[in-house]
Amino acid sequence: MTDSEGPEIPVVCEGCGTRTAVPFDEVEDAVARHNEQLHDGDPVAEVDPDVLEELADRFARDSGLLE
Ligand SMILES: [Zn+2]
């Protein structure tokens, strides 16, 4: 599979002890859904903080969204 739509983002959940790779454009949804279904809406699962930081950084630079 070389034709993916983007990077896969690691989502970690300490509550479940899981680490899952989710396509970039689904990651927000996946995290929200996971927390709703398994943790009563508590923000337990999250994008790996290291990766999130790097992505945010790169995204801001690439898209020129910094104002
Ligand atoms: Zn969980």
Side-chain angles (χ1 to χ4, degrees):
M1 297 256 268
T2 54
D3 198 24
S4 96
E5 297 198 6
E8 297 216 315
I9 312 300
V11 173
V12 291
C13 182
E14 284 183 21
C16 299
T18 55
R19 182 181 173 94
T20 318
V22 182
F24 180 73
D25 56 354
E26 287 172 25
V27 71
E28 213 171 321
D29 236 32
V31 169
R33 199 167 48 228
H34 178 102
N35 286 330
E36 252 168 54
Q37 290 179 349
L38 290 140
H39 304 295
D40 291 328
D42 288 337
V44 182
E46 60 181 4
V47 174
D48 187 323
D50 287 346
V51 176
L52 188 62
E53 204 171 304
E54 192 193 312
L55 278 174
D57 204 41
R58 193 186 311 166
F59 185 72
R61 232 181 283 146
D62 282 358
S63 59
L65 279 182
L66 286 179
E67 292 179 3

